[in-house]
Amino acid sequence: MADPRIDRVEPAEVAEGMHIDIYGQHLGNVNRFYFYDSEKKGTYSAATASEVGDHVSGTVPSGLTVGPNQVQVTNKDGNQSSNFLPVQIDAP
């Protein structure tokens, strides 16, 4: 299976516990989001892939640094998306 590729995140401004969707290609095997802040502090959370593999959804985890972050996806084979997308984390 090809490595996941992410194209957009909705919404791009989120807070702990909010629903988040990421759209792209080759996402059918994705099972985790990976958020990281400017200091490279990272936090994983569970993700659920759509049947057709064009998007994944989940809930924003707790413990994220408020402010600009980036998000990436990882699939069950351990392959990460080749790119990150910006996401703004607001205070809960």
Side-chain angles (χ1 to χ4, degrees), residues 3-4 9 18 29 32-33 35 37 39 44 50 53 58-59 62 66 70 73 75 78 86-87 89-90 92:
D3 286 349
V9 58
M18 284 183 64
N29 201 21
R32 291 190 296 187
F33 292 126
F35 295 86
D37 64 18
E39 296 180 10
Y44 282 100
S50 67
T59 303
S62 61
V66 172
Q70 293 193 38
V73 296
N75 68 21
V87 62
I89 306 298
D90 293 335

Side-chain angles (χ1 to χ4, degrees), residues 11-35:
E13 191 169 322
V14 294
E16 175 183 321
M18 284 183 64
H19 182 85
I20 190 169
D21 290 292
I22 294 181
Y23 296 87
Q25 299 94 43
H26 310 296
L27 303 180
N29 201 21
V30 166
N31 64 345
R32 291 190 296 187
F33 292 126
Y34 179 58
F35 295 86

Side-chain angles (χ1 to χ4, degrees), residues 30-70:
V30 166
N31 64 345
R32 291 190 296 187
F33 292 126
Y34 179 58
F35 295 86
Y36 84 93
D37 64 18
S38 61
E39 296 180 10
K40 306 293 189 240
K41 175 184 154 210
T43 303
Y44 282 100
S45 69
T48 302
S50 67
E51 281 188 36
V52 293
D54 65 349
H55 91 278
V56 294
S57 60
T59 303
V60 177
S62 61
L64 296 178
T65 302
V66 172
N69 279 248
Q70 293 193 38

